Coordinates of all heavy atoms in Angstrom, one line a residue:
I129 N 90.5 52.8 33.5 CA 91.6 51.9 33.1 C 91.7 51.9 31.6 O 90.8 51.5 30.9 CB 91.5 50.5 33.6 CG1 91.4 50.4 35.2 CG2 92.7 49.6 33.1 CD1 91.1 49.0 35.6
G130 N 92.9 52.4 31.1 CA 93.2 52.4 29.7 C 94.3 51.4 29.4 O 95.1 51.0 30.4
Y131 N 94.5 51.0 28.2 CA 95.6 50.0 27.9 C 95.8 49.9 26.5 O 95.0 50.1 25.7 CB 95.2 48.7 28.6 CG 93.7 48.2 28.3 CD1 93.4 47.6 27.0 CD2 92.8 48.3 29.2 CE1 92.2 47.1 26.8 CE2 91.5 47.8 29.1 CZ 91.2 47.2 27.9 OH 89.9 46.8 27.7
W132 N 97.1 49.4 26.2 CA 97.5 49.0 24.8 C 98.7 48.1 25.0 O 99.4 48.1 25.9 CB 97.9 50.2 23.8 CG 99.1 51.0 24.2 CD1 99.0 52.1 25.1 CD2 100.4 50.8 23.8 NE1 100.3 52.6 25.2 CE2 101.1 51.8 24.5 CE3 101.0 49.9 23.0 CZ2 102.5 51.9 24.3 CZ3 102.4 50.1 22.8 CH2 103.1 51.0 23.5
I133 N 98.8 47.2 24.1 CA 99.9 46.1 24.1 C 100.6 46.1 22.8 O 100.0 46.4 21.8 CB 99.3 44.8 24.5 CG1 100.4 43.8 24.8 CG2 98.4 44.2 23.3 CD1 99.9 42.6 25.7
R134 N 101.9 45.8 22.9 CA 102.7 45.8 21.7 C 102.2 44.6 20.8 O 101.9 43.6 21.3 CB 104.2 45.9 21.9 CG 104.7 44.6 22.5 CD 106.2 44.8 22.8 NE 107.0 45.2 21.8 CZ 108.2 45.7 22.0 NH1 108.7 46.0 23.2 NH2 108.9 46.1 20.8
T135 N 102.3 44.8 19.5 CA 101.8 43.8 18.6 C 102.3 42.4 18.8 O 101.6 41.4 18.8 CB 102.0 44.3 17.1 OG1 101.4 45.6 17.0 CG2 101.5 43.3 16.1
S136 N 103.7 42.4 19.0 CA 104.3 41.1 19.1 C 103.9 40.3 20.4 O 104.2 39.1 20.4 CB 105.8 41.2 19.1 OG 106.3 42.0 20.2
R137 N 103.3 40.9 21.3 CA 102.9 40.3 22.5 C 101.3 40.2 22.7 O 100.8 39.7 23.7 CB 103.4 41.0 23.8 CG 104.9 41.1 23.8 CD 105.7 39.7 23.9 NE 105.3 38.9 25.0 CZ 106.0 38.8 26.1 NH1 107.0 39.6 26.3 NH2 105.5 38.0 27.1
A138 N 100.6 40.5 21.6 CA 99.1 40.4 21.7 C 98.7 39.0 21.6 O 99.5 38.1 21.0 CB 98.6 41.2 20.5
G139 N 97.6 38.6 22.1 CA 97.1 37.3 22.1 C 97.5 36.3 23.2 O 97.3 35.1 23.1
E140 N 98.4 36.9 24.1 CA 98.9 35.9 25.2 C 98.1 36.1 26.4 O 98.5 35.4 27.4 CB 100.4 36.4 25.4 CG 101.4 36.2 24.4 CD 102.8 36.6 24.6 OE1 103.1 36.5 25.8 OE2 103.4 37.1 23.7
G141 N 97.1 37.0 26.5 CA 96.3 37.1 27.8 C 97.0 38.1 28.7 O 96.6 38.2 29.8
L142 N 98.0 38.8 28.3 CA 98.8 39.7 29.2 C 98.0 40.9 29.6 O 98.0 41.3 30.7 CB 100.1 40.1 28.6 CG 101.2 39.1 28.4 CD1 102.4 39.7 27.6 CD2 101.6 38.5 29.8
M143 N 97.2 41.4 28.6 CA 96.4 42.6 29.0 C 95.3 42.3 30.1 O 95.0 43.0 30.9 CB 95.8 43.3 27.8 CG 95.3 44.7 28.1 SD 96.6 45.7 29.0 CE 97.7 46.0 27.6
T144 N 94.6 41.1 29.9 CA 93.6 40.7 30.8 C 94.3 40.5 32.2 O 93.7 41.0 33.2 CB 93.0 39.4 30.3 OG1 92.4 39.5 29.1 CG2 92.1 38.8 31.3
E145 N 95.5 40.0 32.3 CA 96.2 39.8 33.5 C 96.6 41.1 34.1 O 96.4 41.4 35.3 CB 97.5 39.0 33.2 CG 98.4 38.8 34.4 CD 99.6 37.9 34.1 OE1 99.4 36.9 33.3 OE2 100.6 38.1 34.7
A146 N 97.0 42.1 33.2 CA 97.4 43.4 33.7 C 96.2 44.1 34.3 O 96.3 44.8 35.3 CB 98.0 44.2 32.5
V147 N 95.0 44.1 33.6 CA 93.8 44.8 34.1 C 93.4 44.3 35.4 O 93.0 45.0 36.4 CB 92.7 44.7 33.0 CG1 91.4 45.3 33.7 CG2 93.1 45.6 31.8
R148 N 93.5 42.9 35.6 CA 93.1 42.4 36.9 C 94.0 42.9 38.0 O 93.7 43.3 39.1 CB 93.2 40.8 36.9 CG 92.0 40.2 36.1 CD 92.0 38.7 36.2 NE 90.8 38.1 35.6 CZ 90.8 37.3 34.6 NH1 91.9 36.9 34.1 NH2 89.6 36.9 34.0
G149 N 95.3 42.9 37.7 CA 96.3 43.5 38.7 C 96.1 44.9 38.9 O 96.2 45.3 40.1
I150 N 95.8 45.7 38.0 CA 95.6 47.1 38.2 C 94.3 47.4 39.0 O 94.2 48.3 39.8 CB 95.6 47.8 36.8 CG1 97.1 47.9 36.3 CG2 95.1 49.3 37.0 CD1 97.3 48.3 34.8
E151 N 93.4 46.6 38.7 CA 92.0 46.7 39.4 C 92.3 46.5 40.9 O 91.8 47.2 41.8 CB 91.1 45.7 38.9 CG 89.7 45.5 39.6 CD 88.9 44.5 39.1 OE1 88.5 44.4 37.9 OE2 88.5 43.6 40.0
Q152 N 93.1 45.5 41.2 CA 93.4 45.2 42.6 C 94.2 46.3 43.3 O 94.0 46.7 44.4 CB 94.1 43.8 42.8 CG 93.1 42.6 42.6 CD 91.9 42.7 43.5 OE1 92.0 42.8 44.7 NE2 90.8 42.7 42.9
F153 N 95.1 46.8 42.5 CA 95.9 48.0 43.0 C 95.0 49.1 43.3 O 95.1 49.8 44.3 CB 96.9 48.3 41.9 CG 97.7 49.6 42.0 CD1 98.7 49.8 42.9 CD2 97.2 50.7 41.3 CE1 99.4 51.0 43.1 CE2 97.9 52.0 41.5 CZ 98.9 52.1 42.4
A154 N 94.1 49.4 42.4 CA 93.2 50.6 42.7 C 92.3 50.3 43.8 O 92.0 51.3 44.5 CB 92.3 50.8 41.4
I155 N 91.8 49.1 44.0 CA 90.9 48.8 45.1 C 91.7 48.9 46.5 O 91.2 49.5 47.4 CB 90.3 47.5 44.9 CG1 89.3 47.5 43.8 CG2 89.6 47.0 46.2 CD1 88.9 46.1 43.3
T156 N 92.9 48.3 46.5 CA 93.6 48.2 47.7 C 94.3 49.5 48.2 O 94.2 49.9 49.3 CB 94.7 47.0 47.5 OG1 94.1 45.8 47.2 CG2 95.5 46.9 48.8
H157 N 94.9 50.1 47.2 CA 95.8 51.3 47.5 C 95.1 52.6 47.3 O 95.4 53.6 47.9 CB 97.1 51.3 46.7 CG 98.0 50.1 47.0 ND1 98.6 49.9 48.2 CD2 98.1 48.9 46.4 CE1 99.3 48.8 48.3 NE2 99.0 48.2 47.2
L158 N 94.1 52.7 46.4 CA 93.4 53.9 46.1 C 91.9 54.0 46.6 O 91.3 55.1 46.4 CB 93.5 54.2 44.5 CG 94.9 54.1 43.9 CD1 94.8 54.3 42.4 CD2 95.9 55.0 44.6
E159 N 91.5 52.9 47.2 CA 90.2 52.8 47.7 C 89.1 53.1 46.6 O 88.2 53.9 46.8 CB 90.0 53.7 48.9 CG 90.9 53.3 50.0 CD 90.7 54.3 51.2 OE1 89.6 55.0 51.4 OE2 91.7 54.3 52.1

Side-chain angles (χ1 to χ4, degrees):
I129 302 175
Y131 45 82
W132 64 271
I133 195 157
R134 73 185 304 157
T135 302
S136 60
R137 299 302 300 267
E140 298 177 32
L142 290 172
M143 195 51 70
T144 300
E145 181 178 324
V147 170
R148 285 189 177 117
I150 292 166
E151 175 184 305
Q152 285 308 305
F153 168 80
I155 292 167
T156 303
H157 297 285
L158 309 179
E159 299 178 20

